[in-house]
Amino acid sequence: MITRDVAAFSTFFQQATTDFGPATARATFLIAPDGFALAEQSAQDNAYMADAAAFDAVRASAQHRDLQRALSSVVPTVCFAGREDTPDALFPNNVFGTAAGRSIIGRMRHEVRQREAARDDIRGFFRNVLGREEVDLSPQAHPCELTGALVIDRARGLGFCGLSERCDEEGARLMHDAFGLRATLCFDLAPGEYHTNVVLAVLAGRAAVVCPKGFARQPVAAAIAQLYAPHAVLCSDAEHAAFVGNCIAVSRDVVWMSADAGRALLPQHRDVLAAAGFSVRTVALDAIEAAGGSLRCCVGEIF
């Protein structure tokens, strides 16, 4: 089922079992911020990006290495080299995704990011090393920026797809099929928002972090939060701006977010996550956040 009908999706959610697959990834992968710089094409529809003068490639590289070291404490984490002509490649989850037995290649909106999908080494890793069937969405015309646009409850096989210039309705359908989901709820992001995973996180199928201001219709945000109540965080504007919504659980008991997000996280919201069984760990990523994304954007998941 693919629908914009929140009530119908909510009914489906209540009936969905948590046997679709593992709630968290088997491993994660990163792409180093080699060539880290302002990507002017991406800046056209990413209001979170800083001016070129704010980009510090040396600091971004060091923080990215710290991120790999941190994630490796809970799950195997590999890192591919970056390339000078793909300055946004440190956000690989928009381009490369996985589902059981499959690797999925997304269709990026901007040409500077479309180059990333052509990397033979990453495709070869999934195809030849991990033995995955490749589902390549990159040649078709509809933008579908994978788990940037599509937040997935992996335990239930349910998707939450925010539509914007980075993903249209046909792109949502293509991703729904590629990930083999049971149901996907489509909704419009607020003007100025580019990816769903900046304003919504589903954590191991047990909790949700929702930034209502990022949704074109805030009742949709409230309805999604209600699905995971009482383990749902409704972010303040300050938490939203600090990328609290761009968090991730790659194991069953830890939520990862940037250090700035961790400082912005309200004590009562930290308590909500603790009640769901999560501790919060952080990594300083301020240099990387200049590029318009935060911790979750950096993490590709291997299911």
Side-chain angles (χ1 to χ4, degrees), residues 205-230:
R206 304 201 311 272
V209 177
V210 186
C211 299
K213 191 177 179 180
F215 291 69
R217 295 182 59 247
Q218 295 197 11
V220 175
I224 293 172
Q226 185 59 39
L227 297 176
Y228 294 92

Side-chain angles (χ1 to χ4, degrees), residues 225-295:
Q226 185 59 39
L227 297 176
Y228 294 92
H231 302 139
V233 169
L234 284 170
C235 290
S236 67
D237 289 355
E239 288 174 310
H240 178 181
F243 288 113
V244 170
N246 197 236
C247 59
I248 190 171
V250 295
S251 62
R252 295 196 61 83
D253 57 353
V254 179
V255 175
W256 294 93
M257 62 182 68
S258 74
D260 283 352
R263 283 187 286 270
L265 183 67
L266 294 171
Q268 61 266 36
H269 290 162
R270 192 180 294 267
D271 290 344
V272 169
L273 295 176
F278 296 106
S279 63
V280 176
R281 298 190 197 177
T282 66
V283 181
L285 294 175
D286 54 285
I288 286 171
E289 287 173 340
S294 190
L295 192 146

Side-chain angles (χ1 to χ4, degrees), residues 14-265:
Q14 299 300 334
Q15 298 171 351
T17 54
T18 55
D19 60 354
F20 184 77
T24 59
R26 299 165 55 194
T28 61
F29 66 96
L30 312 177
I31 297 179
D34 303 324
F36 185 70
L38 175 67
E40 293 184 359
Q41 291 180 22
S42 299
Q44 295 172 13
D45 59 352
N46 183 342
Y48 296 88
M49 292 183 77
D51 294 334
F55 282 70
D56 183 337
V58 174
R59 183 170 172 79
S61 182
Q63 291 182 345
H64 195 267
R65 186 69 181 91
D66 289 342
L67 174 61
Q68 183 183 8
R69 187 179 298 109
L71 294 178
S72 293
S73 70
V74 296
V75 67
T77 302
V78 299
C79 185
F80 295 94
R83 295 183 177 176
E84 294 291 332
D85 66 340
T86 55
D88 285 330
L90 77 160
F91 303 134
N93 74 304
N94 311 149
V95 186
F96 301 99
T98 64
R102 298 187 297 282
S103 65
I104 301 155
I105 316 298
R107 203 287 187 175
M108 306 303 291
R109 180 190 180 209
H110 297 297
E111 188 275 335
V112 68
R113 299 221 61 190
Q114 292 169 11
R115 301 170 197 164
E116 299 170 37
R119 285 191 56 161
D120 290 335
D121 57 337
I122 299 177
R123 286 175 178 254
F125 174 77
F126 288 112
R127 183 177 58 247
N128 302 326
V129 178
L130 299 186
R132 300 299 181 96
E133 174 191 0
E134 184 175 279
V135 180
D136 190 358
L137 304 180
S138 65
Q140 55 81 44
H142 296 273
C144 48
E145 299 198 354
L146 299 191
T147 53
L150 178 68
V151 171
I152 302 174
D153 181 332
R154 299 278 185 162
R156 295 176 177 83
L158 303 179
F160 301 88
C161 191
L163 304 181
S164 70
E165 292 177 317
R166 304 289 185 99
C167 181
D168 63 16
E169 289 189 349
E170 179 61 15
R173 185 193 67 77
L174 291 168
M175 292 192 298
H176 172 90
D177 292 343
F179 284 99
L181 300 179
R182 290 168 168 166
T184 295
L185 176 66
C186 293
F187 48 88
D188 294 320
L189 295 179
E193 296 292 348
Y194 73 107
H195 274 159
T196 314
N197 74 0
V198 177
V199 300
L200 173 65
V202 173
L203 305 171
R206 304 201 311 272
V209 177
V210 186
C211 299
K213 191 177 179 180
F215 291 69
R217 295 182 59 247
Q218 295 197 11
V220 175
I224 293 172
Q226 185 59 39
L227 297 176
Y228 294 92
H231 302 139
V233 169
L234 284 170
C235 290
S236 67
D237 289 355
E239 288 174 310
H240 178 181
F243 288 113
V244 170
N246 197 236
C247 59
I248 190 171
V250 295
S251 62
R252 295 196 61 83
D253 57 353
V254 179
V255 175
W256 294 93
M257 62 182 68
S258 74
D260 283 352
R263 283 187 286 270
L265 183 67

